[in-house]
Amino acid sequence: MEFESVVRGRRSIRAYTDQPVPDDLVREILDEARWAPSSRNTQAWSVWVVTGEALERFKAAFKAALQREEADASDLPGTVTEDWPQACSARAVELMKTRAETLEAAGEVAGPAASMARMADCFGAPVLLVFGFEACLAPAYATYDTASLAQNVCLAAHDKGLGTCQSTTLVRYPGLLRQLLPGAEEQRMVVAVTLGYPDLTAPANTFARSRAPLDEIVTWVS
């Protein structure tokens, strides 16, 4: 696949088939993705490939935490939506509206609760990749580097016919992950990425996407 097709064609996949992903293919994707840039070539990231019974245990624990209404305990807390720039808020509202309209038109349930339920099930993906870094590192640099790796994973996966969805929600209970994942005791959790073969007929994967015009985000200085 040509580079432009990979970049423009990649999208967040929120419904997967039950076709298993071979371990060798996951390894191939990660092997390509590890060439992402990092500060001083530190490559200070960690990745856990969660499948099978381990994935089922994580999903059960995550759903139980939601049921208990546990507060978001993310290692890297985000900005409250009320403080977002107006343009960012408008883009998010447009996305939610378009997705909800597409789901409802297909007879599926939309809304925050339904969306969270699908996410808690990892959208039916057979693989969950969890990305983190050593807690002693400066979060700004380490998060940026780890995000570069995650983006490479998503692009490499799309190039090979697989789908992904990046989710910070799935790392909102990092204590669960540190209990489940070996060697994660001193790690900050950055993002989780679902991985699998996309269900190309699912409404969640077919709604129209948009990007801000180039001149809205780029300033030329001579």
Side-chain angles (χ1 to χ4, degrees):
M1 194 180 296
E2 293 185 356
F3 180 73
E4 182 179 0
S5 298
V6 172
V7 173
R8 292 182 182 270
R10 183 220 60 82
R11 64 179 295 150
S12 296
I13 297 299
R14 296 179 175 87
Y16 297 85
T17 71
D18 58 4
Q19 181 179 352
V21 181
D23 290 349
D24 287 347
L25 184 53
V26 178
R27 181 176 292 275
E28 184 179 338
I29 290 168
L30 293 171
D31 188 44
E32 293 178 4
R34 68 191 174 95
W35 289 92
S38 62
S39 178
R40 301 184 188 181
N41 198 34
T42 49
Q43 305 170 60
W45 44 58
S46 299
V47 186
W48 290 267
V49 181
V50 187
T51 62
E53 292 184 5
L55 180 57
E56 294 305 315
R57 289 198 302 273
F58 166 71
K59 291 193 293 186
F62 186 89
K63 292 173 185 178
L66 288 177
Q67 186 67 28
R68 293 191 297 270
E69 299 184 347
E70 290 189 16
D72 186 333
S74 299
D75 287 334
L76 303 170
T79 307
V80 294
T81 55
E82 289 78 5
D83 294 335
W84 286 3
Q86 191 278 331
C88 295
S89 295
R91 292 171 197 146
V93 169
E94 178 190 6
L95 168 70
M96 298 301 184
K97 179 175 181 290
T98 302
R99 189 168 68 196
E101 289 175 347
T102 302
L103 291 173
E104 289 169 353
E108 296 193 10
V109 179
S115 179
M116 180 62 81
R118 294 185 184 100
M119 187 175 297
D121 197 44
C122 297
F123 307 114
V127 181
L128 184 69
L129 306 175
V130 180
F131 295 77
F133 61 82
E134 293 284 350
C136 62
L137 297 169
Y141 288 101
T143 302
Y144 178 86
D145 291 349
T146 305
S148 295
L149 174 65
Q151 172 72 347
N152 270 11
V153 165
C154 294
L155 294 175
H158 179 65
D159 185 49
K160 300 179 192 305
L162 279 80
T164 57
C165 185
Q166 299 187 40
S167 171
T168 54
T169 298
L170 289 173
V171 297
R172 70 186 296 174
Y173 303 127
L176 297 180
L177 292 167
R178 282 190 272 270
Q179 291 176 8
L180 175 69
L181 306 176
E185 294 82 4
E186 301 299 326
Q187 295 272 332
R188 281 194 173 103
M189 301 302 166
V190 178
V191 68
V193 176
T194 56
L195 176 69
Y197 289 96
D199 180 351
L200 299 178
T201 65
N205 296 334
T206 61
F207 63 88
R209 304 168 298 150
S210 66
R211 290 294 185 271
L214 194 62
D215 289 341
E216 187 176 314
I217 60 172
V218 177
T219 302
W220 298 85
V221 182
S222 300

